Amino acid sequence: MRRLFLGSISCISLVTIFFLYHSSSFERIPPNIELYMLKNNDDTLHHIHTAFFNPENSIHLNAFDSSGLASYSVLITDKAGKTLLEEEEILLKKTEDLNIVLPKIPNLPDGDEVFYHVRVRDWSNANFFRGNETNITKHFIINKHTPQVQVIAASEQIMYGGSALIAFSVQHLKLYDKVPELGIDKVIVNNGHDDFEAYPFINKQGKLIYLALIVWPIKNTFFDGTIRVIDSAMNEKKIQIPIATNVNYMRRKFNANISDMRLQTLVKRLEESTIMPSDLTANIEKFQFFNESVRHQDNQKIANFFQIAKQMDIEPTIPRFNVFLPVRDAQTSGRFGDEYIYKYHKENVGVSVRYGIDFIGEQNTKITNSNNGKVAYIGKIGSYGNLVALNHALGLTSLYGYLHTMPTLQSNLQSLAPIGQMGHSGFATTNSLFFAILVQGHFANPSEWLQPQWVDKNINQVLDRADNFGMKHTHISQYANKGSQ
């Protein structure tokens, strides 16, 4: 009987121990730890993805554990293992989350290396009531100096609605040359409203050059060009782009009267490519729906044909551009930025803006590509009808609409390759070609790119100066001195 009683007690004890061990108070999941960087005078926490660190910024420890956090410790050592600072705290108030600023080490020179050893323990009864523990170590190389930016060359000016090219170099500390990762984290060019990527190239002298093709969109009332460079330690340099602005491009406004016959023709074409809401019955309602909703969506779709690569490789050579000549011996109609106020029975029923120009010619007139590019889109889009979009170097996109038929093209097109033929698809009223230019998804005045003198002076001459930057006894231009101030 006694054996039976002792056996029962043992079984109960084992079951009790088993359930206790597997209860939430004995959970064995270690705390989750993340370290973030908070830049000085900034409210945004950044993930730490580099070894470089400016000690004027702060490191934030974020920890979580469902059983509660019991303690944390921070040990900061130098490269030789010498303790620079040590701090530990027992958390008397049980909490699942921990957000603290780790201590700073002052007076560290550039190139010094420090190690942050962080340990966090929870309140779990696992591991013989010692709790679960997470340890991480972060290696940092000190850099407190901002990168230097030098503008090498730029277009003579940028016109309202037009394009411009800026070439510049970035110099970082030599300590970055000792590690495999790049010293520059972000290079952003801004027009006062929109950000543009800068493309890295290696020039003839072996120098790393950044090229940024930008635009002053007609939606923006002003242009304020800047270059921002952020290195891997989150040190930032910002300079103004030394370029003149020209506001003399005059946009025109027209009243466009729509007759019932014209409206019926437009709606018939719309319904061939656009699904109309079932509650729209009147032709004028369908037209307004297209003009106010679908047209905006179509332009946004076109803008997205260009997709900025988040990680761009350094290109081995600097490109050059040919003047765009999509068709020969054709008249042009309309101007970039023209605004049309639609009137139906003397009432305003909508407004639209022209984002390209039309070439008027004979049916089946050959359309030719002018610069090497990749096909971004072939298909039918709203008022543009049958359309081809080509992506070229430096984020430049060219569009070809109203095509007679949908062409079959290879993914890569060389200069002088055929694109298609003139037609009257979409809203075209006669045999024509709709031609437009975008820079990183922003519509730009295509007339500039049709002028050989403009392309040579504002694009290729800038590229030439960038390609020769670093050559001894070479005059770089006045922009180099301005950009380094």
Side-chain angles (χ1 to χ4, degrees):
M1 179 67 70
R2 181 171 179 170
R3 288 183 178 180
L4 182 61
F5 176 76
L6 292 175
S8 300
I9 293 296
S10 298
C11 289
I12 294 172
S13 299
L14 289 172
V15 170
T16 301
I17 292 172
F18 175 83
F19 279 106
L20 282 174
Y21 187 73
H22 288 83
S23 69
S24 59
S25 62
F26 280 85
E27 60 89 14
R28 295 185 298 278
I29 301 174
N32 180 62
I33 294 180
E34 293 285 349
L35 293 183
Y36 297 92
M37 194 80 68
L38 182 65
K39 187 177 178 182
N40 192 22
N41 300 323
D42 190 0
D43 294 329
T44 305
L45 290 174
H46 303 270
H47 282 280
I48 299 175
H49 60 277
T50 174
F52 293 98
F53 172 51
N54 185 334
E56 294 179 1
N57 300 327
S58 58
I59 300 176
H60 285 236
L61 167 64
N62 177 270
F64 172 82
D65 193 280
S66 59
S67 64
L69 298 167
S71 65
Y72 74 91
S73 67
V74 181
L75 173 64
I76 305 176
T77 62
D78 62 12
K79 188 176 182 179
K82 178 184 176 182
T83 298
L84 302 178
L85 186 146
E86 189 171 8
E87 184 177 287
E88 183 173 4
E89 182 179 355
I90 297 175
L91 304 174
L92 299 178
K93 184 178 180 181
K94 192 174 182 180
T95 178
E96 295 181 353
D97 293 286
L98 178 66
N99 292 282
I100 60 169
V101 180
L102 298 185
K104 294 183 178 182
I105 301 295
N107 304 321
L108 292 174
D110 288 324
D112 262 21
E113 299 180 43
V114 294
F115 295 81
Y116 274 67
H117 310 273
V118 180
R119 176 179 58 81
V120 177
R121 181 174 291 171
D122 65 15
W123 280 106
S124 172
N125 291 322
N127 299 309
F128 299 100
F129 301 95
R130 291 181 301 173
N132 304 295
E133 184 177 290
T134 300
N135 293 273
I136 61 172
T137 297
K138 285 290 184 180
H139 169 221
F140 294 111
I141 303 172
I142 304 303
N143 174 21
K144 298 181 288 186
H145 285 76
T146 60
Q148 298 302 306
V149 183
Q150 179 182 14
V151 177
I152 300 166
S155 299
E156 186 177 67
Q157 65 176 9
I158 187 167
M159 179 173 283
Y160 174 57
S163 309
L165 179 63
I166 298 95
F168 58 96
S169 65
V170 178
Q171 183 179 0
H172 55 66
L173 288 183
K174 290 296 183 182
L175 63 89
Y176 284 110
D177 297 334
K178 302 177 182 179
V179 295
E181 65 179 280
L182 290 176
I184 303 303
D185 184 47
K186 292 180 181 178
V187 178
I188 301 171
V189 180
N190 188 276
N191 61 11
H193 188 276
D194 312 291
D195 285 340
F196 294 83
E197 289 283 348
Y199 291 82
F201 287 86
I202 301 297
N203 75 354
K204 292 178 181 178
Q205 312 307 315
K207 303 289 186 180
L208 177 61
I209 305 297
Y210 288 89
L211 299 172
L213 186 62
I214 62 175
V215 65
W216 180 359
I218 56 176
K219 65 180 177 63
N220 298 355
T221 57
F222 66 92
F223 178 90
D224 182 20
T226 59
I227 300 173
R228 287 177 59 223
V229 178
I230 304 171
D231 69 13
S232 295
M234 296 183 65
N235 301 307
E236 181 175 333
K237 181 72 172 181
K238 182 176 180 180
I239 68 168
Q240 294 293 127
I241 297 175
I243 187 171
T245 56
N246 187 339
V247 297
N248 292 328
Y249 185 77
M250 301 299 294
R251 294 181 59 192
R252 306 180 300 182
K253 291 186 178 183
F254 300 94
N255 288 326
N257 295 310
I258 306 176
S259 64
D260 287 317
M261 182 176 297
R262 175 62 177 159
L263 181 63
Q264 186 175 358
T265 301
L266 290 176
V267 170
K268 183 178 179 180
R269 290 191 178 184
L270 284 175
E271 291 178 331
E272 292 176 357
S273 59
T274 305
I275 299 176
M276 295 289 179
S278 58
D279 59 338
L280 300 181
T281 55
N283 283 341
I284 191 61
E285 292 178 335
K286 295 178 181 179
F287 173 80
Q288 288 177 306
F289 169 76
F290 172 82
N291 191 56
E292 296 170 4
S293 299
V294 179
R295 192 191 293 272
H296 174 75
Q297 295 172 9
D298 288 345
N299 287 334
Q300 187 59 51
K301 182 178 181 179
I302 288 172
N304 290 335
F305 291 154
F306 166 79
Q307 295 293 335
I308 300 173
K310 299 301 181 184
Q311 298 292 333
M312 291 181 296
D313 294 330
I314 297 175
E315 297 294 334
T317 59
I318 290 178
R320 300 296 190 275
F321 283 88
N322 301 317
V323 64
F324 279 88
L325 187 64
V327 294
R328 295 182 180 275
D329 303 323
Q331 295 181 339
T332 60
S333 174
R335 284 175 49 187
F336 175 77
D338 282 350
E339 185 174 304
Y340 298 90
I341 303 170
Y342 295 111
K343 293 182 177 291
Y344 180 67
H345 294 172
K346 298 182 179 181
E347 291 187 11
N348 292 349
V349 292
V351 177
S352 70
V353 176
R354 178 185 287 273
Y355 289 109
I357 58 176
D358 293 350
F359 288 91
I360 310 299
E362 300 294 330
Q363 184 174 342
N364 296 329
T365 297
K366 182 180 177 181
I367 300 168
T368 306
N369 176 36
S370 301
N371 288 278
N372 296 346
K374 294 183 178 181
V375 175
Y377 179 82
I378 300 177
K380 183 172 290 187
I381 293 185
S383 61
Y384 303 117
N386 299 327
L387 182 138
V388 170
L390 302 179
N391 283 340
H392 308 283
L394 301 183
L396 188 72
T397 302
S398 59
L399 296 179
Y400 310 83
Y402 302 163
L403 301 182
H404 178 58
T405 57
M406 207 77 74
T408 300
L409 302 173
Q410 296 180 346
S411 58
N412 292 295
L413 285 187
Q414 299 298 312
S415 174
L416 302 181
I419 295 175
Q421 297 85 33
M422 274 190 180
H424 55 272
S425 58
F427 273 12
T429 56
T430 184
N431 293 305
S432 54
L433 164 70
F434 172 79
F435 176 70
I437 288 288
L438 292 91
V439 175
Q440 295 195 20
H442 300 275
F443 283 97
N445 191 342
S447 298
E448 295 178 328
W449 294 89
L450 300 173
Q451 304 171 30
Q453 185 178 2
W454 184 91
V455 173
D456 178 63
K457 188 174 186 179
N458 291 278
I459 303 299
N460 286 335
Q461 287 187 22
V462 176
L463 295 173
D464 288 341
R465 292 197 291 272
D467 218 358
N468 292 307
F469 176 69
M471 181 183 298
K472 290 184 177 181
H473 309 299
T474 299
H475 178 65
I476 298 302
S477 85
Q478 59 179 335
Y479 296 115
N481 295 327
K482 289 183 180 179
S484 62
Q485 293 175 357

